[in-house]
Amino acid sequence: MKIVTYDSLQAEHAWMIVSDQLQQRNNMLAKSISHMERNQNELPMASRLIILRYHLKMSLRQLTQDARQQKQKIERKNQLAEQWMHVHQLFFLLRQIDNELGRATVENNILRSWLESVEGRVYRSALVHLN
């Protein structure tokens, strides 16, 4: 039987927020890749974004797998700490993706102007929710 506490609900809420943010970044990367692939001159940037998206997916898969394995091994009293550790790992991945995407937009005017046109609708910061 799993005991639900306010602290565990907070951790679950933080996990939902950071997961949503990572999914938004994945979608944004997919759309950015499609946009960049339309122009032959932008294929190197599209390749860079593909690698970034691959890093996001593989890191997320590994973190999730690790969390599932840990969940079976940990004691109930350490469960909340493990939950928060997983949230913070996901948040670190989110920041890595944002940093790399930010670098790419500084280097590429076409990507920057396209992202600015869609950014207001999709690209929110999770910092407010996780701090």
Side-chain angles (χ1 to χ4, degrees), residues 104-119:
T105 59
V106 166
E107 296 171 19
N108 189 293
N109 292 332
I110 292 172
L111 179 62
R112 180 176 47 253
S113 61
W114 183 78
L115 278 176
E116 286 172 354
S117 74
V118 295
E119 198 168 80

Side-chain angles (χ1 to χ4, degrees), residues 7-79:
D7 291 335
S8 67
L9 288 174
Q10 277 187 312
E12 185 70 21
H13 180 69
W15 179 85
M16 288 179 1
I17 290 168
V18 76
S19 295
D20 179 58
Q21 292 294 310
L22 286 166
Q23 184 59 48
Q24 286 182 18
R25 296 323 186 269
N26 183 46
N27 293 341
M28 179 63 70
L29 284 168
K31 291 174 185 177
S32 298
I33 292 164
S34 286
H35 182 74
M36 300 308 283
E37 287 177 332
R38 292 181 191 143
N39 183 341
Q40 185 72 22
N41 296 332
E42 299 303 326
L43 291 180
M45 182 55 72
S47 296
R48 183 173 167 185
L49 296 175
I50 289 169
I51 292 168
L52 184 58
R53 188 169 185 227
Y54 178 81
H55 169 68
L56 169 62
K57 286 183 165 191
M58 289 293 102
S59 297
L60 190 56
R61 187 171 291 150
Q62 185 64 48
L63 287 171
T64 302
Q65 183 180 0
D66 292 348
R68 283 187 186 129
Q69 289 173 353
Q70 285 295 330
K71 193 175 188 177
Q72 296 168 356
K73 297 177 186 175
I74 59 174
E75 298 174 29
R76 190 172 299 277
K77 66 181 178 180
N78 294 331
Q79 203 167 14

